[in-house]
């Protein structure tokens, strides 16, 4: 597959994700990069495994020997793309590497949109990996197409390459900083040039991006610090909002494309609630500890008279532990998640959905039978899958079910890199709490208040984005951006 050093394989297996099911919103992507390590590609592979929760639609690695970049990517999870037993990693082996796992929030799930995107322009090769969502990508793309530019993908990321290649941008003192100032929305981007990695984070710091260092002193960049734990790397700090960090033969250097302190951050607090892994530290805080705080706060705001607290695994587990601690109600595992099912690609038929819920989440009758239970989940998006779980708990003999949710009701879409369904499909859209309780078929429902949520966080309240609960978007969205905005081009 990699017989040519310039080869950028766009030919891997393309799987449709139509009919894929989840009760949750989906994260956009995970990034990993490492400079100067003999095992850079192997470490990138392990790093991507750790970040798999941030995207399962496609995976890819681009690497450089200092002069030439090569890239391998495909549809599916990391282990599928880099099939065990194959020699892909060996052929890619170079001391500079970046990697990407994707869930599509802009552009359909297809091979041509998988990343890193590799391109050749007047200054040589560049490979790009992006996490986030550019809200002005369609406008920029229209502009470039009107001048005759040809795009080969339908993702928002490709427009960055066109901006980078534009001659009058290249003439600027710092072309990369100049280009980044054209982008609106959320972005963490890794640029792999033949001799270096440049990592950039948007001025609002919406998505996380962390810096680590290996025992041998090599620098590593990753969306979440959990990727460092896997490869024995020490967390140093986060890339600051509006910062560009360069990894090259001189080590690590930094510059800002927006004056530091000029913009109040808008970190996505949903990263804390649901997306990020429990062993990660992002926005200055460990995820597991934060979620436990949420659970304790939830128990204060919405106590329940019950026999047992059970989580919806895995993302509800830490909050359920906190709820149990605060309420003094015993914690137990009433549902067990199967990690081996993966995606079933079934048609969206209600009966089959219920079967899939059962397949993915088994009920422990001995824990819930005849009991009054508190069920803790991190969030509810559409509500149909949650209702399926509630019905399964009833069938297993639960006497009373008290639903507790560790974030407020989600009422608005996200334009910054999270694939929520449309406003109309959101359970809490134009439904009262009483209607939500009836829909879910529970005995009581309690959502965390926004104030309570923000009180649990370390940073000041105005340092977080809360738009999916409040509808107040820190970066104005003039035209509603849809995932498929660029598909009809
Ligand atoms: S709208 Fe919600 S999910 Fe999107 S960035 Fe803001 S807090 Fe995160």
């Amino acid at each position: 597959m990699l017989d040519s050093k310039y080869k950028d394989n766009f030919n891997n297996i393309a799987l449709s994700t139509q009919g894929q099911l989840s009760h949750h919103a989906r994260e956009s992507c995970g990034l990993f990069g490492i400079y100067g390590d003999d095992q850079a590609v192997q470490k990138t592979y392990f790093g991507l495994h750790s970040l798999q929760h941030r995207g399962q639609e496609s995976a890819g690695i681009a690497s450089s020997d200092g002069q030439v970049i090569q890239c391998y990517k495909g549809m599916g999870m990391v282990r599928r793309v880099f099939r065990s037993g194959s020699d892909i990693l060996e052929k890619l082996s170079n001391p500079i590497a970046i990697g990407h796992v994707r869930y599509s929030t802009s552009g359909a799930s297809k091979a041509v949109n998988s990343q890193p995107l590799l391109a050749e322009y007047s200054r040589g090769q560049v490979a790009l990996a992006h996490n986030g969502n550019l809200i002005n990508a369609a406008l920029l793309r229209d502009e470039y197409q009107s001048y005759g530019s040809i795009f080969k993908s339908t993702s928002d990321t490709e427009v960055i390459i066109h901006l980078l290649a534009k001659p009058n941008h290249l003439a600027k003192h710092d072309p990369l900083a100049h280009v980044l100032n054209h982008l609106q929305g959320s972005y963490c981007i890794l640029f792999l040039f033949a001799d270096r990695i440049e990592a950039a984070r948007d001025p609002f710091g919406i998505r996380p991006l962390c810096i680590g260092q290996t025992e041998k002193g090599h620098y590593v960049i990753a969306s979440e610090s959990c990727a460092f734990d896997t490869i024995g790397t020490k967390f140093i700090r986060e890339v600051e909002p509006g910062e560009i960090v360069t990894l090259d033969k001189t080590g690590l250097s930094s510059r800002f494309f927006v004056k530091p302190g000029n913009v109040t951050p808008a970190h996505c607090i949903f990263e804390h609630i649901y997306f990020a892994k429990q062993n990660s530290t992002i926005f200055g805080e460990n995820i597991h500890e934060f979620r436990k705080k949420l659970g304790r706060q939830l128990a204060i705001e919405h106590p329940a008279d019950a026999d047992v607290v059970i989580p919806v695994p895995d993302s509800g587990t830490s909050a359920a532990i906190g709820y149990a601690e605060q309420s003094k109600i015993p914690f137990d595992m009433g549902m067990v998640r199967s990690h081996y099912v993966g995606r079933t690609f079934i048609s969206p038929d209600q009966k089959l959905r219920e079967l899939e819920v059962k397949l993915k989440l088994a009920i422990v009758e001995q824990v819930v039978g005849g009991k009054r239970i508190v069920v803790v989940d991190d969030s509810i998006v559409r509500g149909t899958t949650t209702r399926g779980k509630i019905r399964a708990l009833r069938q297993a003999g639960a006497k009373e079910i008290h639903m507790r949710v560790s974030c407020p009701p989600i009422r608005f879409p996200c334009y910054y890199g999270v694939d929520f369904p449309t406003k109309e499909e959101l359970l809490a859209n134009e439904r009262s709490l009483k209607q939500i309780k009836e829909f879910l078929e529970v005995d009581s429902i309690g959502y965390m208040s926004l104030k309570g949520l923000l009180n649990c966080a370390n940073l000041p309240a105005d340092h977080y984005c809360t738009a999916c609960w409040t509808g107040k978007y820190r970066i104005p969205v003039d035209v509603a951006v849809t995932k498929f905005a660029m598909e009809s081009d």
Side-chain angles (χ1 to χ4, degrees), residues 206-207 266-271 275 412-418 420 464-469 473:
I206 297 176
R207 303 274 146 236
H267 304 309
C268 169
I269 202 163
F270 218 77
E271 291 273 356
F275 295 130
F412 299 93
C414 173
Y415 299 113
Y416 308 145
V418 175
F420 282 141
Y464 296 97
C465 174
T466 55
C468 45
W469 302 292
Y473 296 93

Side-chain angles (χ1 to χ4, degrees), residues 174-469:
D174 186 343
L176 189 56
H178 182 76
V179 164
L180 293 170
N181 273 308
H182 282 73
L183 307 181
Q184 286 169 15
S186 66
Y187 54 90
C188 288
I189 310 170
L190 298 185
F191 297 86
L192 172 66
F193 297 96
D195 61 344
R196 68 191 188 282
I197 294 171
E198 307 247 27
R201 191 171 176 210
D202 74 66
F204 292 88
I206 297 176
R207 303 274 146 236
L209 195 61
C210 307
I211 306 172
Q213 195 170 26
T214 66
E215 277 172 9
K216 289 188 177 167
H218 302 122
Y219 287 104
V220 183
I221 304 269
S223 293
E224 289 180 39
S225 65
C226 64
F228 299 154
D229 302 347
T230 322
I231 57 160
T233 291
K234 189 175 75 211
F235 172 84
I236 299 179
R237 68 171 175 92
E238 295 185 35
V239 174
E240 295 295 326
E243 184 183 18
I244 302 171
V245 168
T246 305
L247 310 183
D248 61 14
K249 63 180 183 212
T250 63
L252 182 149
S253 56
S254 154
R255 65 194 191 277
F256 282 83
F257 61 97
V258 172
K259 207 169 160 208
N262 254 16
V263 180
T264 306
H267 304 309
C268 169
I269 202 163
F270 218 77
E271 291 273 356
H272 273 319
I273 294 164
Y274 167 60
F275 295 130
K277 229 186 217 175
Q278 285 92 329
N279 60 325
S280 284
T281 294
I282 58 166
F283 311 148
E285 211 165 344
N286 169 258
I287 298 300
H288 174 63
E289 292 301 327
F290 179 82
R291 289 182 190 162
K292 276 206 301 186
K293 269 194 271 177
L294 290 183
R296 289 195 284 267
Q297 177 67 24
L298 195 55
I300 293 167
E301 290 187 15
H302 299 286
D305 208 2
D307 305 310
V308 64
V309 175
I310 66 164
V312 175
D314 294 323
S315 51
T317 305
S318 303
I321 293 171
Y323 193 101
E325 275 175 13
Q326 180 69 37
S327 63
K328 311 277 186 266
I329 301 170
F331 170 92
D332 211 333
M333 294 302 290
M335 298 187 210
V336 182
R337 188 174 157 196
S338 169
H339 292 269
Y340 308 105
V341 178
R343 290 188 177 150
T344 47
F345 302 103
I346 59 168
S347 61
D349 165 276
Q350 188 54 38
K351 273 259 169 292
L352 292 174
R353 262 178 217 234
E354 282 171 19
L355 278 182
E356 189 182 19
V357 172
K358 280 187 182 163
L359 190 63
K360 287 188 169 174
L361 223 49
I363 308 293
V364 185
E365 280 188 32
Q366 291 76 357
V367 172
V368 303
K371 304 261 180 61
R372 299 168 303 161
I373 57 175
V374 174
V375 181
V376 180
D377 205 351
D378 56 89
S379 57
I380 302 178
V381 180
R382 282 191 182 85
T384 44
T385 315
T386 304
R387 187 173 59 187
K389 289 168 199 161
I390 300 297
R391 285 179 180 168
L393 287 166
R394 293 257 189 235
Q395 279 168 15
K399 207 159 75 183
E400 285 176 25
I401 301 176
H402 303 278
M403 188 78 214
R404 298 292 180 264
V405 189
S406 64
C407 77
I410 297 168
R411 296 204 158 96
F412 299 93
C414 173
Y415 299 113
Y416 308 145
V418 175
D419 187 29
F420 282 141
T422 61
K423 192 167 186 277
E424 291 66 38
E425 290 173 289
L426 294 167
L427 174 67
N429 176 50
E430 293 182 4
R431 272 197 182 92
S432 66
L433 270 184
K434 184 168 174 283
Q435 288 168 322
I436 294 173
K437 174 179 162 277
E438 283 165 7
F439 178 89
L440 294 176
E441 301 168 5
V442 290
D443 296 283
S444 75
I445 175 105
Y447 281 96
M448 171 74 93
S449 68
L450 186 61
K451 191 164 174 252
L453 166 64
L454 291 167
N455 278 346
C456 289
N458 275 352
L459 298 173
D462 65 349
H463 282 43
Y464 296 97
C465 174
T466 55
C468 45
W469 302 292

